[in-house]
Amino acid sequence: MSKVRIGIVGTGYIGNVHARIFAKDERADVSALFDIVGERAEKTARSVGGRVCISREELFENCDAVLVCTPNKTHPDIAAAAVSAGKHVFCEKPFAIGIDEAKGLLDVAERSGKVFQVGHNRRFAPAYVKLKELLSSDKVHSAHIKMNRGELLNPTWTGDTNITGGFLYETTIHLFDMMRFQFGEIAELAAYGSQHEYPELDEFSIIFKFHNGFHCTFASSSDASWHFPFERIEAFCHHRTIMTEEMERILDSQGIDPNFETHSFHMVEKEERWGYVQEDAAFIDSILDGNASPVTAFDGYKSVELVESVYRAIDSGERVQFD
Ligand SMILES: NC(=O)c1ccc[n+]([C@@H]2O[C@H](COP(=O)([O-])OP(=O)(O)OC[C@H]3O[C@@H](n4cnc5c(N)ncnc54)[C@H](O)[C@@H]3O)[C@@H](O)[C@H]2O)c1
């Protein structure tokens, strides 16, 4: 087959990350770019090539696969239009905002017969792949998870709930997806939230119980500084603690002595360390092999369901249960 022609809608930060990666993949060709700020698409075209389009319709006519890299609230509309145009779709996280939009897009994606992948890149990050491998060799009992941000100021729209859907749709949602990837399906959650720095709930403490008996605590703060590691999973097994430090390192302490082994990934280039290179390669693999993507529309839907359930639990003061 000839190269997969990639069209990118939204050539801001993450659109350019993907553009650079696909430009290096010999099975892909960055063929079309569209951004409502035309200069941004022109700048990207100067670095990786591709036709600068003046509408998304023009972009659809000039590609086989569409990457949706615009701010959160625009994802369902653009992704559904791309599916309707018969394109494979890679949709950045969050899959959608709100359960109705998520259900609508899930329905469209599942009926499309094309590849639909959601940008939960961390599933491909070597640190989290290694964590899954270590956990599969042991029985994990419980865990503590942290997913913080330093601010909601950059990009400016990250503090605007009309665009983000709420802080949990920002980085926190990545580790909601990660919990399903590492530990299985969630049966019940209880959540507390409060508001401090921004005009929305910006601090969260959540307890999750899983169908397999596993349980964990989860903390997420929007204004905790960017102190390392702002993202961490501490998993507790039989006389063993396995701790991640962002996507840089895993510390694995086994037995009853305070020793630990380190798995380090800091020498891996950032775009690979964060899993972007691997998720983009997997998207091309799925298109060429005709297989479902490794992060499906259903996975995207489930992460939105978790975000909405946490907000609902805080609002109602009740636990939320899942079938
Ligand atoms: N997976 C990750 O690790 C990761 C990292 C960063 C961002 N993201 C997600 O990617 C999306 C984009 O984030 P970003 O940081 O690149 O934002 P950004 O502000 O840097 O870029 C967004 C671009 O989209 C353009 N745009 C806005 N509305 C548009 C529309 N309707 N049609 C065409 N272009 C439009 C803007 O002009 C801008 O250039 C967000 O949903 C964010 O949550 C994911």
Side-chain angles (χ1 to χ4, degrees), residues 183-214:
F183 306 123
E185 293 296 348
I186 290 154
E188 185 176 299
L189 68 84
Y192 304 89
S194 52
Q195 184 254 322
H196 303 269
E197 299 296 321
Y198 302 101
E200 61 168 309
L201 291 176
D202 51 16
E203 304 276 331
F204 295 83
S205 300
I206 312 161
I207 303 175
F208 291 99
K209 189 174 107 187
F210 290 64
H211 285 294
N212 57 17
F214 174 81

Side-chain angles (χ1 to χ4, degrees), residues 90-291:
F90 178 99
C91 180
E92 261 305 341
K93 52 59 58 176
F95 177 65
I97 292 173
I99 213 71
D100 292 343
E101 295 252 324
K103 271 188 187 146
L105 184 56
L106 177 63
D107 190 45
V108 167
E110 289 192 334
R111 282 191 287 112
S112 83
K114 297 279 179 175
V115 174
F116 193 107
Q117 185 168 326
V118 182
H120 285 299
N121 55 300
R122 280 160 172 78
R123 288 186 181 217
F124 303 85
Y128 287 125
V129 171
K130 184 71 184 174
L131 177 66
K132 195 164 169 63
E133 182 195 311
L134 294 174
L135 291 176
S136 73
S137 68
D138 211 323
K139 175 151 175 40
V140 60
H141 301 160
S142 69
H144 177 60
I145 301 173
K146 174 178 82 172
M147 183 77 235
N148 286 347
R149 272 187 66 110
E151 35 67 26
L152 294 179
L153 302 171
N154 185 25
T156 44
W157 56 263
T158 52
D160 183 347
T161 55
N162 291 322
I163 297 177
T164 61
F167 166 60
L168 295 179
Y169 280 108
E170 264 310 294
T171 33
T172 315
I173 196 170
H174 277 299
L175 285 212
F176 282 2
D177 176 68
M178 184 54 59
M179 283 193 298
R180 291 185 59 245
F181 179 62
Q182 298 287 350
F183 306 123
E185 293 296 348
I186 290 154
E188 185 176 299
L189 68 84
Y192 304 89
S194 52
Q195 184 254 322
H196 303 269
E197 299 296 321
Y198 302 101
E200 61 168 309
L201 291 176
D202 51 16
E203 304 276 331
F204 295 83
S205 300
I206 312 161
I207 303 175
F208 291 99
K209 189 174 107 187
F210 290 64
H211 285 294
N212 57 17
F214 174 81
H215 49 88
C216 67
T217 55
F218 193 117
S220 191
S221 165
S222 66
D223 55 11
S225 88
W226 290 110
H227 180 66
F228 180 87
F230 60 81
E231 166 176 349
R232 150 172 262 167
I233 296 179
E234 295 178 55
F236 310 117
C237 312
H238 177 72
H239 290 301
R240 184 177 191 184
T241 296
I242 308 173
M243 281 177 286
T244 62
E245 293 186 329
E246 294 176 22
M247 285 157 276
E248 307 289 311
R249 243 189 329 262
I250 297 183
L251 308 180
D252 183 4
S253 174
Q254 290 196 63
I256 50 174
D257 298 322
N259 298 318
F260 62 89
E261 192 180 346
T262 305
H263 303 273
S264 192
F265 306 95
H266 70 279
M267 296 299 282
V268 178
E269 194 197 336
K270 170 158 183 196
E271 287 168 1
E272 207 176 321
R273 191 166 70 238
W274 281 52
Y276 297 125
V277 172
Q278 301 90 323
E279 73 173 347
D280 289 350
F283 182 54
I284 301 292
D285 289 345
S286 294
I287 293 171
L288 295 178
D289 301 344
N291 295 329

Side-chain angles (χ1 to χ4, degrees), residues 12-14 35-36 40 70-72 75 92-93 121 157 276:
Y13 167 69
I14 203 72
D35 195 294
I36 46 167
R40 294 193 184 147
T70 49
N72 303 3
H75 293 178
E92 261 305 341
K93 52 59 58 176
N121 55 300
W157 56 263
Y276 297 125

